Amino acid sequence: FSDIDAFTFVLVTKENWQQDCKSCLECSKENGCLRCPERLFLYLHRDGMSHHGLCVHSCPTGHFGLRGTDANRCIKCKAQECERCFDKDFCTKCKGGFLLFKGKCFSSCPDGTFPHSTDCVGEPFITVVPG
């Protein structure tokens, strides 16, 4: 059970906004969390034309946590087909239907590689044992 499941999406309403602000250092009724405690990440969820902030322990699918001197933020992975990433340009897990190779997601493996589980791997090499 992740933080992200917990906010499937408990968006702020006029009645519960103060409850939603419990994990924040600073919060507003209109935008949710504005600042988080130092160990949490600020995740901004787009809600129409506005953003709603939540303080989370781990960033949701399609985002990675970036720790900074002023704040820790959830940053969106650059590639749409990326489910998890190490930074905005390096995927560590692809969404269903895609295969991971060298930090990128492919619908089919590049030349010289073949699918294995959720990854593309290089040609297997055969060890010849003299005998």
Side-chain angles (χ1 to χ4, degrees), residues 49-116:
M49 294 298 289
S50 64
H51 284 89
H52 178 79
L54 297 167
C55 293
V56 297
H57 287 279
S58 59
C59 296
T61 297
H63 294 75
F64 70 98
L66 180 64
R67 295 196 184 277
T69 53
D70 60 332
N72 300 327
R73 300 182 184 280
C74 291
I75 308 293
K76 190 173 178 103
C77 301
K78 188 175 179 180
Q80 291 292 325
E81 59 275 4
C82 189
E83 186 172 309
R84 278 196 305 241
C85 56
F86 177 74
D87 66 27
K88 70 179 174 102
D89 294 313
F90 194 92
C91 288
T92 56
K93 183 177 181 186
C94 299
K95 291 181 180 176
F98 292 93
L99 298 157
L100 182 66
F101 183 66
K102 294 185 176 181
K104 305 281 183 214
C105 297
F106 296 89
S107 55
S108 60
C109 289
D111 288 342
T113 66
F114 64 95
H116 178 71

